[in-house]
Amino acid sequence: MISFAHHPAPRHRPLILAAKLWFCTTLVLAVIAPLIANGHPFILRRLDASGSIVSIEYPLLHALTPSEARWIGVAVALLLWVLIAGIGHLRRIRISGYFPGVLFGIAVVFAPALTSPPVLTPFDSAEREARGEIRATYTLIPFSPNERAGDRKASFLPPGAAASAGRTHLLGTDRHGQDALSNLIHGSRLAVSVGLIAAGIATLIGIAVGAMMGYFGGWVDLVLSRLVEIVMGVPLLFVLVLAAGVMPRSIEATMAVIACFTWTTAARFTRAEFMKLRNADFVLAARAAALPTRSILFRHMLPSAAAPVLVDASFTMAAAVVLEATLSYLGLGPPERASWGALLASATSDTGEFRWWLALFPGGAVFLTALSYNILGESARDALDPRSQ
């Protein structure tokens, strides 16, 4: 039997595996960041004057916002689904098709019930533990991204510097005394959300516009082609800077602007594919059967034309990550949100002194994320291109 599956060259496989690993790592970190880097203790034991435990509390869980608890609940539900499905496959037990939906529904509805106002004043646990009032157990990185040290000497600490209560800043601190590693992990949430959501919206807009251009042709193609050319001529970074000055500086506004100006490539790819397919036999048969235009476009033609569009989406994701980092580097990103660009901007102090750890680690994260998206896009293009097989 002849196989037409395309396998990448051996020298490219390590790069593709590394790109997939980095993508999965940033995605997991973005979801469970509050459980990895948090200044609130995971377990807090209140002590009396004699040092005996009076009560046990869980401030970290109560400090989660409803949205954070919901995403973490969905991640846990996904993990349980994979484990149960794997056990069922090994034991030849058939899992109901409704089981994943029920599991995710429970996570979405009941996970926010764990959240409530914090039982402690934010980030005072280290001082209270030093006074012997409590005994705390922290998560892996016992610092929140917005946890600022009151002592000015805590600013620009190098990697490995010690903090209060025996805690250590593994990657140092920034100008405000905030832990760099905590900001790096929480910054992945902004990068992943901008990359996935902005690129997803841009791809949907491009598919809709390109499908109309390629299927109808004529004056529809002419008008929409001029619209594509106009949008392509707009400098996106200038628009982002302008939008940051006149609109609320939020992640939603940034994603909306990026999506509204990066759909043109997807539209051109979709137009070219629909131009080739509109006279195909299955399309003519669908027309003869009097199927709705919506069904012909998106149910019959789109699956055959989606390959180059999906490849382009990975490159759009890389561009969105770089644009968001650039905007945050210029100080125009969402305020009070951990960002790789904002962390990179603090590498130079007010006196002009360069702090290498604040440039190397966030800059490397931006570079590796954009590079991994590009590598995955190129591998998908090679796998979907019949001429390369």
Side-chain angles (χ1 to χ4, degrees):
M1 180 180 294
I2 299 175
S3 176
F4 293 96
H6 174 66
H7 299 284
R11 66 178 182 275
H12 292 160
R13 289 176 184 171
L15 288 177
I16 297 173
L17 291 176
K20 292 179 180 179
L21 179 61
W22 180 260
F23 173 76
C24 295
T25 300
T26 54
L27 186 61
V28 171
L29 289 178
V31 174
I32 64 173
L35 299 182
I36 299 177
N38 204 313
H40 296 282
F42 188 74
I43 302 175
L44 185 142
R45 305 169 184 85
R46 294 185 181 273
L47 308 177
D48 56 14
S50 62
S52 301
I53 298 176
V54 177
S55 62
I56 299 178
E57 300 168 353
Y58 305 93
L60 188 149
L61 296 179
H62 294 300
L64 295 176
T65 63
S67 62
E68 290 174 341
R70 186 174 291 111
W71 281 109
I72 292 173
V74 170
V76 173
L78 179 61
L79 180 61
L80 290 175
W81 177 29
V82 172
L83 292 177
I84 295 175
I87 294 174
H89 178 72
L90 292 176
R91 297 188 176 183
R92 301 184 183 274
I93 301 174
R94 186 174 180 180
I95 304 298
S96 173
Y98 296 101
F99 176 74
V102 173
L103 201 60
F104 288 126
I106 293 174
V108 170
V109 173
F110 291 102
L114 296 173
T115 62
S116 63
V119 297
L120 287 176
T121 304
F123 317 128
D124 69 344
S125 55
E127 291 76 8
R128 299 184 65 181
E129 187 175 17
R131 294 195 299 265
E133 300 177 5
I134 62 173
R135 188 185 304 160
T137 301
Y138 294 91
T139 185
L140 295 176
I141 302 165
F143 299 98
S144 292
N146 57 344
E147 182 177 354
R148 298 186 177 184
D151 188 3
R152 183 171 296 183
K153 294 181 180 180
S155 301
F156 295 118
L157 291 178
S164 58
R167 300 182 296 173
T168 303
H169 297 285
L170 297 177
L171 297 186
T173 62
D174 62 4
R175 70 177 69 218
H176 301 294
Q178 299 176 151
D179 185 71
L181 181 55
S182 178
N183 277 270
L184 196 67
I185 293 175
H186 282 263
S188 64
R189 311 178 78 188
L190 196 60
V192 169
S193 60
V194 168
L196 292 178
I197 298 177
I201 296 174
T203 302
L204 292 177
I205 296 174
I207 288 175
V209 175
M212 291 187 292
M213 293 166 61
Y215 181 77
F216 294 106
W219 66 269
V220 176
D221 182 32
L222 180 64
V223 172
L224 293 179
S225 295
R226 301 292 82 79
L227 175 62
V228 169
E229 293 173 359
I230 292 173
V231 175
M232 290 180 65
V234 177
L236 180 54
L237 183 59
F238 175 77
V239 175
L240 284 171
V241 173
L242 183 64
V246 300
M247 296 173 60
R249 287 165 54 187
S250 64
I251 184 58
E252 291 79 10
T254 302
M255 290 188 294
V257 173
I258 292 176
C260 289
F261 287 91
T262 56
W263 55 268
T264 54
T265 305
R268 297 176 70 182
F269 278 130
T270 307
R271 173 186 178 273
E273 294 296 321
F274 273 59
M275 282 282 188
K276 294 188 297 183
L277 294 173
R278 65 179 179 178
N279 293 322
D281 292 340
F282 70 93
V283 176
L284 297 178
R287 289 178 182 173
L291 292 180
T293 303
R294 180 182 66 256
S295 177
I296 297 175
L297 288 176
F298 300 109
R299 185 176 180 180
H300 297 280
M301 297 181 68
L302 183 59
S304 301
V309 180
L310 296 178
V311 172
D312 173 71
S314 63
F315 298 109
T316 305
M317 291 169 59
V321 171
V322 174
L323 285 170
E324 186 280 322
T326 303
L327 202 64
S328 297
Y329 178 82
L330 297 175
L332 300 175
E336 301 299 329
R337 286 290 298 271
S339 171
W340 293 342
L343 196 61
L344 185 61
S346 63
T348 304
S349 63
D350 297 333
T351 59
E353 189 174 356
F354 181 71
R355 313 291 180 174
W356 63 268
W357 60 91
L358 295 177
L360 176 62
F361 299 117
V366 174
F367 170 76
L368 290 176
T369 302
L371 180 63
S372 64
Y373 289 159
N374 283 313
I375 291 175
L376 292 176
E378 291 179 358
S379 64
R381 180 186 60 193
D382 294 338
L384 296 172
D385 187 0
R387 292 172 296 182
S388 63
Q389 298 180 6

